[in-house]
Amino acid sequence: MIGWSGPPLAQRKPAPAFTVIPLGIKGGIDESNLSAYLCAAGGTDDYICLDAGTLHYGLVLANRTGAVKGSPTAFLRKNVKAYLVSHPHLDHVAGLVINSPDDSSKNIYGFPFCLSVLQDKYFSWKSWANFGDLGEQPALKKYHYAALAPGLETEILGTPLRVTAYFLSHAAPGLSSAFLIRNSDDYLLYLGDTGADSIEHSIYLQQLWTAIAPLITEKKLKAIFIETSFPDSQPPAQLFGHLTPALLMQELHLLSQVSGGSLQQVPIVITHMKPGGDKEMRIKKEVLLHNNLHLKILFPIQGKAMYFR
């Protein structure tokens, strides 16, 4: 091929199904590292942001690793096309609120209860300027609230991606949500904060596992992002709607059963570990210790891109 200076075409790797850049990976108390994951269809630079606890500092680190190009503000304005907010707790929305003055116009997707908190509690003139298109006047209309309906797929404007949202229980029924992201025939699952069904007296995870099981057996699900906030020593009464390594593996065993034992092919990305003392080290050790399904467990690094094929 005249002018071709790269490797032979037969040696070129196909674009990944998804590129994910963790901007924040923890569950508190470090305000520079709170839940936020950029996600794009492989081969594109049009990202969505799954939760938005930390934005600017995560983009600074991502620039240093080469995961993003240009200044954090320029990237945020040009390349981040939408936010998907799993629930309105501060550690999942602080970056969105703080960076809003320098952001560009885009949609915020979420369940109606989540969007109403953003509208009434954060983007109100009592606590911050109202950058939304609803609520306390004057509305600056930078952000459009795009309500999701459970189980119904929605196009994410400005990207080739689509999302289907599911309810989760997070110390209260339906207080959080999971996002199933589709790029053509490939899928990625991101869970916001969630407790185990056995602790939450819920069936939300059971319903979610049933919904995604066919995608696992058909090898269409490329990754699962799921929280593990506390080590196993955390008393059940003090979980506040979160998972431990033992509860995580309890749920993944159930998912493995409904998906015919084919879960081993799906990377499991551990999110929302609570910092402090040796908690993170203990969580990692216990997750690996309980991994008798021999799953591919990944621990994301803030600012470092992840690729899923």
Side-chain angles (χ1 to χ4, degrees), residues 148-156 161-166 180-184 187:
L148 299 175
L152 296 180
E153 188 176 71
T154 299
E155 177 185 4
I156 304 175
L161 303 175
R162 293 176 174 269
V163 60
T164 305
Y166 299 87
L180 182 64
I181 308 301
R182 179 167 74 88
N183 172 28
S184 187
Y187 294 80

Side-chain angles (χ1 to χ4, degrees), residues 88 91 123 175 192 202 231:
D91 58 330
F123 289 128
L175 187 61
S202 165

Side-chain angles (χ1 to χ4, degrees), residues 219-232:
K219 299 183 179 181
K220 294 181 177 180
L221 186 65
K222 302 305 179 181
I224 297 174
F225 285 67
I226 185 168
E227 70 124 281
T228 308
S229 295
F230 295 107
D232 287 335

Side-chain angles (χ1 to χ4, degrees), residues 186-229:
D186 298 313
Y187 294 80
L188 179 146
L189 179 66
Y190 172 86
L191 288 82
D193 292 357
T194 183
D197 279 352
S198 59
I199 302 295
E200 298 284 303
H201 307 292
S202 165
I203 60 170
Y204 286 128
L205 283 176
Q206 176 189 327
Q207 292 174 335
L208 178 61
W209 301 154
T210 301
I212 68 168
L215 303 178
I216 296 174
T217 57
E218 296 166 10
K219 299 183 179 181
K220 294 181 177 180
L221 186 65
K222 302 305 179 181
I224 297 174
F225 285 67
I226 185 168
E227 70 124 281
T228 308
S229 295

Side-chain angles (χ1 to χ4, degrees), residues 12-307:
R12 297 175 67 189
K13 290 185 178 180
F18 297 96
T19 300
V20 176
I21 304 173
L23 299 184
I25 64 173
K26 298 183 181 181
I29 55 179
D30 182 354
E31 64 268 21
S32 70
N33 196 355
L34 300 172
S35 294
Y37 294 83
L38 293 180
C39 177
T44 78
D45 291 320
D46 297 325
Y47 286 87
I48 62 175
C49 198
L50 300 164
D51 284 327
T54 292
L55 293 180
H56 186 270
Y57 187 68
L59 287 168
V60 169
L61 295 182
N63 179 271
R64 291 176 185 171
T65 67
V68 306
K69 305 296 183 183
S71 73
T73 299
F75 189 91
L76 183 69
R77 292 179 59 85
K78 179 182 177 182
N79 297 100
V80 179
K81 304 299 184 180
Y83 298 103
L84 279 69
V85 180
S86 67
H87 65 295
H89 285 172
L90 194 57
D91 58 330
H92 293 254
V93 300
L96 167 58
V97 175
I98 293 296
N99 284 272
S100 55
D102 294 323
D103 203 356
S104 57
S105 180
K106 57 198 63 168
N107 283 359
I108 302 175
Y109 296 86
F111 281 136
F113 80 89
C114 178
L115 299 182
S116 69
V117 175
L118 287 170
Q119 172 187 316
D120 297 336
K121 304 300 183 183
Y122 297 123
F123 289 128
S124 75
W125 291 97
K126 298 180 183 68
S127 59
W128 199 253
N130 181 11
F131 286 102
D133 58 355
L134 296 171
E136 190 174 344
Q137 298 300 311
L140 302 178
K141 300 182 180 180
K142 178 177 286 189
Y143 298 128
H144 171 65
Y145 297 115
L148 299 175
L152 296 180
E153 188 176 71
T154 299
E155 177 185 4
I156 304 175
L157 297 182
T159 80
L161 303 175
R162 293 176 174 269
V163 60
T164 305
Y166 299 87
F167 285 121
L168 297 174
S169 186
H170 177 40
L175 187 61
S176 186
S177 52
F179 298 125
L180 182 64
I181 308 301
R182 179 167 74 88
N183 172 28
S184 187
D185 289 329
D186 298 313
Y187 294 80
L188 179 146
L189 179 66
Y190 172 86
L191 288 82
D193 292 357
T194 183
D197 279 352
S198 59
I199 302 295
E200 298 284 303
H201 307 292
S202 165
I203 60 170
Y204 286 128
L205 283 176
Q206 176 189 327
Q207 292 174 335
L208 178 61
W209 301 154
T210 301
I212 68 168
L215 303 178
I216 296 174
T217 57
E218 296 166 10
K219 299 183 179 181
K220 294 181 177 180
L221 186 65
K222 302 305 179 181
I224 297 174
F225 285 67
I226 185 168
E227 70 124 281
T228 308
S229 295
F230 295 107
D232 287 335
S233 59
Q234 189 80 359
Q238 297 178 23
L239 288 175
F240 309 112
H242 292 292
L243 294 173
T244 65
L247 291 171
L248 167 73
M249 285 302 165
Q250 174 182 294
E251 289 294 342
L252 293 179
H253 269 273
L254 294 174
L255 176 56
S256 181
Q257 291 172 15
V258 298
S259 60
S262 52
L263 187 57
Q264 286 80 3
Q265 66 193 347
V266 182
I268 308 296
V269 184
I270 305 301
T271 68
H272 206 267
M273 290 188 293
K274 296 281 189 180
D278 63 348
K279 284 183 183 177
E280 292 174 76
M281 181 186 69
R282 288 160 57 199
I283 291 170
K284 290 180 179 180
K285 181 178 179 179
E286 290 168 358
V287 167
L288 298 176
L289 180 65
H290 292 311
N291 185 21
N292 55 11
L293 288 173
H294 307 291
L295 304 176
K296 184 178 181 180
I297 304 293
L298 302 178
F299 298 97
I301 298 172
Q302 187 182 22
K304 185 174 181 180
M306 309 174 77
Y307 304 97

